Amino acid sequence: FNVTGCKQWYQRRVRGKKGDGGGGDEEEGFKLAPSTFIPGIDEASTNYDEIWKTRDETDNFQQKYDAELIKELKRGEVESEIRVQVDDLMRQELKNLKAALQKDAGKKGGKGSAKKKGKKKDKKGGKKGKKEKDLTPDRTIESLYEELVKEGILVQYPKVKISDFMGEYSYLGTTLRQANIEPMPSLADVRRVTTEYGILPMGSQTVHETSPFIKSLLIAGPHGTGKRMLVNAICSELGANLMDLTAENICGKYPGKAGLTMLLHLVMKVGKLLQPTVVYIGNAEKTFIKKVPKNDMSDPKRLKKELPKIIKKMTAEDRIMFIGTSLTPWDGDVKGMCQVYQKIVLIPRPDYASRYLLFKEVILRMGGRLSATLDLSSLAKISDGYTPGHIVSAVKHVLTERRVQQLARKPLTAAEFVTPLARVDPIYKEEEEQFKKWYAKTPLGKKRAKLKAEDEEGEGGGKGGKGAKGGKKKGKGKKKGKGKKKKGK
């Protein structure tokens, strides 16, 4: 990666745009916002050009330190430290001079300054009072960590890569949009968005502070689409701690209001000290459920009031993310869920391309072989509506240890996978439509619908404008005609 080359290309691009200015009535296209990372790259490139580009390191095989470089770096630090001391001395000298002048002039300025100082102290004291009280000041981080592990709040997770969430890109998305049909996101889109929202910002403190601050994420989708797998993948890629605050998991633990306060204090304290941390809430819709079923003894609304407060207090320095998963998001209050979860990722059922890829990769990973007798195309077509979880379980059911040993003389056929798939209910279009209706009620869904309506009005305004006027004229003519007939009568 040549930083200098990128810099030169960028400068030429900027010069070219300036030279082409004043070109005419052409509308300006979409302009990207200024990047927060380009100044850092520029600084690193300049540093390389000034210090390292012309240095000869052939005789420095052991990479010994350069005393001059260290002196130059430390000179600035020493200068800043001395400057602070000098500034303090100068302020004190100035204060003494002012006091001497006031004494000579006979002015009494002590009372006013004392009042101002008192106000400042009161303000500072009020700000300090708002800080959270440490409920465990005498305990070590090791003891807090051990307690969370014993209570089952801090849990282990299987090591999963984000690349294991397989799915193909949807090439028909643009075509469907041109026909005024909003397509469902593909599994490749879900993988990309999860990486952008969950992995990249949390992986680096610098990126976390400079990129858009995302505190929470909701992953919604039918059963078997890989919601928990994405949570495990985020944790695995980051090497993060996983705290499980699912209603069923915390039921009976830390009872009462004081117990809940202590639980959340432990989670946030350990999470901040041992970053990055992912706080997982399964069945997130139950926290905001409209009516709790009588047979549900897990107290699902326990975190409803506390979650918005905790997320609001989080700062850019805290590499903590709340991730919820939901199987039936329409059961919860949409407004409450959207207040807690900033971003919503909707996982659809896989399309043909993704199903083809899933069958191919899963069969190979489980020891199977692809041959001419195995028609993957037909298998992908008949498995419409089945989730990745269904496909994986069907392949596991077929590719037993005995069947893998028989592959040399008895190749796989598509018919073998039909029976295990037929035993499972697929995701029907009605359920998918229910997810679409729910998503349309979210802020982003409403914004999309509004933009779509404005586009349709803009397209139809030019064509329908004349027709509308013509219709009005005809209507008036008819009325006149009727009036004449009445007079004739």
Side-chain angles (χ1 to χ4, degrees):
F1 178 72
N2 191 346
V3 177
T4 309
C6 287
K7 184 181 174 184
Q8 290 172 355
W9 174 84
Y10 179 73
Q11 289 173 350
R12 284 201 302 271
R13 187 85 182 268
V14 170
R15 284 195 215 104
K17 285 183 179 178
K18 287 180 181 176
D20 295 339
D25 300 333
E26 289 186 5
E27 293 184 3
E28 291 186 0
F30 176 74
K31 289 186 177 179
L32 289 171
S35 173
T36 53
F37 300 101
I38 287 177
I41 295 171
D42 265 345
E43 187 180 347
S45 177
T46 307
N47 186 37
Y48 171 77
D49 288 339
E50 290 176 356
I51 299 171
W52 302 105
K53 190 174 182 179
T54 56
R55 288 177 71 90
D56 185 11
E57 294 286 316
T58 52
D59 297 331
N60 191 14
F61 179 75
Q62 294 179 348
Q63 289 296 301
K64 293 180 181 180
Y65 66 90
D66 190 335
E68 290 302 320
L69 278 177
I70 294 170
K71 283 179 185 177
E72 191 176 343
L73 288 171
K74 290 296 176 185
R75 196 176 288 118
E77 293 178 14
V78 172
E79 187 180 342
S80 61
E81 289 176 8
I82 293 171
R83 184 183 290 275
V84 172
Q85 295 172 9
V86 172
D87 287 346
D88 289 338
L89 289 171
M90 292 296 289
R91 285 191 193 98
Q92 188 64 37
E93 190 68 27
L94 184 62
K95 191 177 178 182
N96 294 337
L97 285 169
K98 283 183 178 179
L101 284 169
Q102 285 177 359
K103 191 176 180 181
D104 291 341
K107 292 181 180 179
K108 296 179 180 179
K111 289 183 180 179
S113 61
K115 284 180 183 178
K116 286 179 181 178
K117 285 179 182 177
K119 285 180 182 178
K120 285 181 180 177
K121 283 180 182 177
D122 290 339
K123 284 181 182 179
K124 286 180 181 177
K127 284 182 181 177
K128 284 181 181 176
K130 289 180 182 177
K131 284 188 177 179
E132 288 184 16
K133 187 179 178 181
D134 190 358
L135 302 177
T136 54
D138 302 327
R139 294 183 60 182
T140 61
I141 187 64
E142 289 81 5
S143 66
L144 299 177
Y145 194 92
E146 185 181 357
E147 182 181 335
L148 288 173
V149 171
K150 284 181 178 178
E151 292 292 338
I153 305 297
L154 206 154
V155 296
Q156 283 187 324
Y157 50 86
K159 301 295 179 185
V160 182
K161 294 180 180 178
I162 192 67
S163 57
D164 292 336
F165 186 82
M166 289 176 284
E168 191 60 82
Y169 181 77
S170 177
Y171 297 97
L172 291 174
T174 308
T175 309
L176 291 171
R177 282 195 182 94
Q178 287 173 353
N180 291 326
I181 300 169
E182 186 61 30
M184 287 291 281
S186 65
L187 297 184
D189 293 330
V190 172
R191 184 174 63 242
R192 177 183 57 79
V193 169
T194 306
T195 306
E196 291 175 0
Y197 289 163
I199 296 173
L200 290 178
M202 293 276 285
S204 166
Q205 186 65 40
T206 307
V207 176
H208 193 260
E209 290 176 1
T210 51
S211 62
F213 186 27
I214 298 169
K215 304 176 185 179
S216 52
L217 180 69
L218 178 65
I219 303 172
H223 179 73
T225 48
K227 298 182 289 296
R228 185 60 194 266
M229 181 185 178
L230 284 174
V231 176
N232 293 334
I234 291 170
C235 294
S236 299
E237 296 287 353
L238 296 171
N241 295 305
L242 180 62
M243 312 272 194
D244 190 356
L245 292 185
T246 306
E248 291 81 1
N249 189 45
I250 63 173
C251 181
K253 299 171 185 176
Y254 299 93
K257 191 174 181 181
L260 181 61
T261 306
M262 176 58 76
L263 170 63
L264 295 174
H265 166 74
L266 292 175
V267 168
M268 295 306 291
K269 185 175 181 180
V270 174
K272 287 177 182 179
L273 292 172
L274 302 175
Q275 300 180 26
T277 299
V278 172
V279 181
Y280 168 67
I281 302 172
N283 299 320
E285 76 281 353
K286 288 187 178 181
T287 309
F288 307 94
I289 198 167
K290 295 164 188 174
K291 190 176 180 182
V292 181
K294 293 180 180 179
N295 58 352
D296 192 352
M297 307 301 292
S298 62
D299 191 12
K301 287 190 173 183
R302 193 179 178 192
L303 296 171
K304 185 177 180 180
K305 292 182 180 178
E306 300 299 328
L307 274 179
K309 295 177 185 176
I310 291 171
I311 291 172
K312 192 176 181 181
K313 289 177 184 176
M314 288 170 62
T315 62
E317 294 176 359
D318 304 328
R319 282 195 293 156
I320 301 173
M321 179 172 280
F322 284 77
I323 301 180
T325 59
S326 180
L327 185 65
T328 54
W330 48 83
D331 289 341
D333 178 34
V334 178
K335 189 177 179 182
M337 290 175 78
C338 291
Q339 282 177 351
V340 171
Y341 298 103
Q342 283 180 280
K343 301 292 182 181
I344 298 172
V345 178
L346 187 61
I347 308 179
R349 55 181 189 171
D351 54 7
Y352 168 80
S354 295
R355 292 195 303 273
Y356 186 94
L357 180 68
L358 277 164
F359 272 113
K360 180 182 175 182
E361 293 296 328
V362 174
I363 288 171
L364 290 172
R365 288 189 184 190
M366 292 188 179
R369 296 179 187 174
L370 302 178
S371 61
T373 57
L374 180 60
D375 189 359
L376 287 177
S377 180
S378 299
L379 195 58
K381 284 178 183 176
I382 64 169
S383 59
D384 185 18
Y386 289 96
T387 63
H390 296 153
I391 292 170
V392 171
S393 60
V395 175
K396 278 184 180 177
H397 185 271
V398 172
L399 286 174
T400 58
E401 190 177 345
R402 185 183 176 186
R403 184 69 184 88
V404 171
Q405 292 173 355
Q406 295 174 347
L407 288 174
R409 51 190 176 80
K410 188 181 177 183
L412 284 171
T413 59
E416 294 180 67
F417 297 94
V418 175
T419 305
L421 285 173
R423 292 173 183 166
V424 187
D425 289 330
I427 306 300
Y428 296 105
K429 285 188 177 180
E430 290 78 12
E431 187 174 350
E432 191 173 2
E433 288 298 322
Q434 207 166 2
F435 273 101
K436 284 184 179 179
K437 286 178 183 177
W438 169 79
Y439 189 75
K441 295 177 184 177
T442 62
L444 186 59
K446 287 178 181 178
K447 195 174 180 181
R448 277 189 172 183
K450 188 179 178 181
L451 289 170
K452 189 178 179 183
E454 287 175 0
D455 289 342
E456 286 177 357
E457 284 176 10
E459 288 175 4
K463 293 179 182 178
K466 291 181 180 179
K469 288 179 182 177
K472 284 181 183 177
K473 285 179 182 178
K474 283 180 183 177
K476 285 179 183 178
K478 283 181 182 178
K479 282 180 183 178
K480 284 179 183 178
K482 283 180 183 178
K484 285 178 182 178
K485 283 180 182 178
K486 281 180 183 179
K487 283 178 182 179
K489 283 180 181 179

